[in-house]
Amino acid sequence: MTFLPLVTLELRAAARRKSSYRIRRWTALFAFIVGLFFIAIGFFGEREAGQNLFATLALFAAGFVLLAALFLTPDCISEEKREGTLGLLFLTDLKGYDVVLGKFIARSLNAFYGLLALLPVAAISLLLGGLTGGEFWRMTLVLINLLFISLAIGIFVSTLVRESRAATGGTLALMILLFAGLPTLSWLAKVANFPNYLKYLRCLSPFYSYLFSKDLLYRSHSALFWNSLVASHLLGWFLLGFTSWILPRIWQENRVLERKAVFSRLHRQGRGTVAQRAKTRQKLLPINPILWLIGDEPAIRSTVWLVVIIWGMVIVILSSQEPAKSLYTAIVGTLTLGFLLKLIVASQACRFFVESRKNGALEMLLCTPLRNRDIIRGQWLSLKRLFLWPLIILALLNLVPIAFLAYQAFTGPGLSEALQSVPRAMFSLAASCWFTFGLVADVFTVGWVGMWLGLSAKKPDLAPFWTILFVLILPLFVYPVALFVDVFLIIWASSSLQTDIRWTLSRQYQVPPSQMTPKIALPYVPPPPVIVR
């Protein structure tokens, strides 16, 4: 038997796909355009031009890696479970590691090729100055390791669940815990004088290897850089090994074990009893049938509120100690968490049309007297129930440092200190209002574009990815006019959705002319003669 036969099969299939070649061309072209943009706006003559360009491309590569891992591996094994084809693989001589490594390599191939195409363009930064070869190669190792650990997390979560939403949500939660939760926990352990062993958890996070890859920070934190790089890499291999061991043991459906599982009980308790869920859904039906069909999402609501509450506690603690320094921290935290919430909004905005197209419910729904505005309004009501108040609280948290700063100034020894803090507070308030306005505009844009792509995309599973790319990633490079980009996308997506959805859906079933069978001219055959008596 061939060693790793599924890997060989998946690699041959990937070599015949056009996307394996397109992603390399588009990634390299995008990096080349960014480099030309930096040169055009005058960064070429600066002393640190190469370092600025490389930092931008490295940030783009890190975002590309995380998004690729979020949409490539989380549903690779859970999809096989839903379709019932995973058991057929284990009827053969294949082992757990054959399936896991085959899926891992097949799904990671495009992402690895995209990253590989980006690195030679990023190496141009060495010619511009301000960047050393050591920093370039350290960042290269960090990005490859970041791709590896992210894909390992996705395939690990995909083994434990069956539904696509649960796989994507679980992968996102573990990535947040690993990349942001562990550094935050380590910082809190240092501030609150917790036991020292909690500080070593930060070595599992790739965040420190990314942060300390720069020359200025690497000189004083070289040990932490290598510890974080090696520990996170070993964690990825552990997840792959554990996934290979556990997959042959849990791929079958076992309802008895599911009822006894701790996470299943917590999930059912979070959703309430059957009577409570039925009562809640009865309240939604008179409001809007689509809102009733979408139902409630307590897991998403709890996750969003948990993120906002944790950030609120952190910003209150920081503001009570050093309110002046917390002004900038609050804005940066709001931008980061706002981006995270926009990712969840994008996934939720695409969900209804994507799932309805998969299970055929959309065709049945369009046979009813529901109008386009009713369908769209139901989805907006669902998004409003989930994200309205968390976004409001997140925006109001920017005022917490200003409130502490005002209290500290007016209770201080003199009026001069209070007057000195007024310009800083006013600037922070203006920046908070501007970023809040941008957050609201992005949420509306993500909602409209996500609905349209979920309805019209050729590959529905990639609709959240395209939404995030077109609305959240690409406008960053034209940030001064990002608001106009949002307005254009809202007008385009809303006008497209206002057209007849039935006509839009019917176009997907039309056979293109190139695939139609050509008409063949048949010879004329006269009717048979009629015999008259």
Side-chain angles (χ1 to χ4, degrees):
M1 183 177 178
T2 307
F3 180 68
L4 300 178
L6 197 58
V7 174
T8 305
L9 177 64
E10 294 288 352
L11 287 177
R12 289 178 178 176
R16 294 190 294 267
R17 287 196 297 263
K18 295 182 179 179
S19 59
S20 302
Y21 303 92
R22 290 175 180 173
I23 192 169
R24 284 179 279 181
R25 293 196 295 265
W26 285 107
T27 306
L29 179 62
F30 180 79
F32 183 72
I33 292 175
V34 172
L36 291 180
F37 174 76
F38 265 72
I39 296 175
I41 63 178
F43 280 96
F44 183 76
E46 293 187 1
R47 182 179 179 181
E48 298 181 353
Q51 188 176 11
N52 294 331
L53 175 59
F54 183 72
T56 303
L57 293 178
L59 183 61
F60 164 72
F64 167 78
V65 164
L66 294 178
L67 286 179
L70 190 60
F71 290 99
L72 288 178
T73 54
D75 199 31
C76 60
I77 295 181
S78 57
E79 183 180 8
E80 299 278 356
K81 290 183 180 180
R82 294 193 304 270
E83 296 177 354
T85 56
L86 187 60
L88 299 177
L89 296 177
F90 286 112
L91 288 177
T92 63
D93 295 335
L94 294 176
K95 305 298 182 182
Y97 59 85
D98 291 319
V99 178
V100 172
L101 292 180
K103 293 294 182 181
F104 179 82
I105 294 177
R107 295 300 180 99
S108 63
L109 190 64
N110 287 343
F112 178 73
Y113 279 162
L115 181 61
L116 198 63
L118 180 66
L119 293 177
V121 181
I124 300 177
S125 305
L126 294 170
L127 303 178
L128 300 180
L131 180 69
T132 62
E135 181 176 349
F136 173 80
W137 289 112
R138 283 194 297 270
M139 182 59 70
T140 301
L141 291 176
V142 168
L143 292 175
I144 295 176
N145 179 66
L146 186 62
L147 176 63
F148 175 75
I149 183 64
S150 302
L151 293 172
I153 291 174
I155 201 169
F156 168 71
V157 175
S158 182
T159 307
L160 302 179
V161 299
R162 294 181 59 86
E163 299 298 329
S164 175
R165 284 184 299 155
T168 305
T171 302
L172 180 61
L174 277 183
M175 290 171 64
I176 294 173
L177 176 63
L178 186 62
F179 301 144
L182 292 183
T184 304
L185 182 62
S186 175
W187 175 78
L188 291 176
K190 181 179 179 181
V191 172
N193 294 324
F194 286 163
N196 291 329
Y197 63 85
L198 292 177
K199 301 178 183 179
Y200 296 107
L201 292 175
R202 62 182 180 179
C203 294
L204 297 176
S205 176
F207 169 77
Y208 290 100
S209 58
Y210 179 87
L211 179 64
F212 297 132
S213 61
K214 297 182 179 180
D215 276 337
L216 294 178
L217 298 176
Y218 177 77
R219 296 171 184 174
S220 56
H221 300 86
S222 58
L224 183 56
F225 168 83
W226 289 109
N227 291 337
S228 175
L229 184 67
V230 174
S232 59
H233 189 74
L234 293 178
L235 177 63
W237 282 110
F238 170 77
L239 291 177
L240 287 180
F242 184 73
T243 303
S244 303
W245 176 79
I246 200 175
L247 180 60
R249 294 167 173 80
I250 65 171
W251 66 269
Q252 294 178 334
E253 295 188 45
N254 194 335
R255 296 184 178 180
V256 176
L257 292 178
E258 287 182 358
R259 292 176 182 175
K260 295 181 181 180
V262 177
F263 293 105
S264 300
R265 292 201 301 268
L266 292 177
H267 179 68
R268 289 194 296 270
Q269 290 177 2
R271 295 181 62 90
T273 61
V274 178
Q276 292 175 350
R277 294 199 298 269
K279 185 177 180 180
T280 302
R281 292 176 67 88
Q282 288 178 0
K283 296 179 181 179
L284 302 179
L285 184 58
I287 301 175
N288 187 279
I290 303 299
L291 179 61
W292 170 83
L293 185 62
I294 296 176
D296 197 11
E297 294 290 343
I300 296 179
R301 181 185 292 109
S302 302
T303 302
V304 172
W305 276 111
L306 181 63
V307 171
V308 174
I309 291 173
I310 292 176
W311 172 244
M313 295 173 59
V314 171
I315 198 62
V316 168
I317 295 174
L318 292 177
S319 301
S320 61
Q321 296 179 355
E322 297 180 350
K325 295 182 179 180
S326 300
L327 294 173
Y328 176 75
T329 305
I331 296 176
V332 174
T334 302
L335 291 176
T336 305
L337 295 180
F339 185 81
L340 174 62
L341 292 180
K342 285 182 283 189
L343 295 180
I344 304 177
V345 172
S347 176
Q348 193 68 15
C350 301
R351 183 178 70 89
F352 174 74
F353 279 130
V354 169
E355 292 185 354
S356 299
R357 288 174 59 185
K358 284 183 176 180
N359 55 28
L362 188 58
E363 288 83 354
M364 299 178 61
L365 186 65
L366 295 179
C367 295
T368 63
L370 287 175
R371 298 171 295 180
N372 291 357
R373 65 181 66 179
D374 298 327
I375 299 176
I376 297 172
R377 180 173 176 269
Q379 295 189 68
W380 276 114
L381 289 176
S382 176
L383 295 176
K384 178 182 176 182
R385 285 169 52 87
L386 290 175
F387 302 105
L388 177 61
W389 284 107
L391 289 174
I392 292 176
I393 299 300
L394 181 64
L396 293 178
L397 288 176
N398 290 327
L399 303 178
V400 173
I402 300 177
F404 276 96
L405 187 63
Y407 175 79
Q408 183 180 13
F410 287 102
T411 57
L415 185 61
S416 59
E417 296 182 359
L419 295 177
Q420 291 177 358
S421 61
V422 170
R424 185 183 302 174
M426 294 300 295
F427 174 78
S428 177
L429 180 61
S432 301
C433 294
W434 171 255
F435 290 127
T436 301
F437 184 74
L439 175 63
V440 174
D442 285 343
V443 169
F444 273 99
T445 309
V446 165
W448 283 111
V449 176
M451 292 179 194
W452 171 244
L453 292 179
L455 177 66
S456 60
K458 294 183 179 179
K459 295 182 179 180
D461 292 332
L462 295 179
F465 174 78
W466 294 121
T467 303
I468 294 170
L469 179 64
F470 291 136
V471 180
L472 302 180
I473 303 299
L474 295 182
L476 292 177
F477 297 95
V478 289
Y479 186 76
V481 294
L483 186 60
F484 297 99
V485 175
D486 287 342
V487 173
F488 170 77
L489 291 176
I490 289 175
I491 295 175
W492 168 71
S494 60
S495 61
S496 301
L497 284 172
Q498 294 300 330
T499 58
D500 191 1
I501 296 181
R502 293 167 177 82
W503 177 78
T504 304
L505 188 65
S506 64
R507 291 189 304 168
Q508 302 175 10
Y509 298 99
Q510 295 179 356
V511 180
S514 60
Q515 299 180 6
M516 295 180 64
T517 303
K519 296 182 180 180
I520 303 175
L522 299 177
Y524 175 75
V525 179
V530 179
I531 302 176
V532 181
R533 292 181 181 179

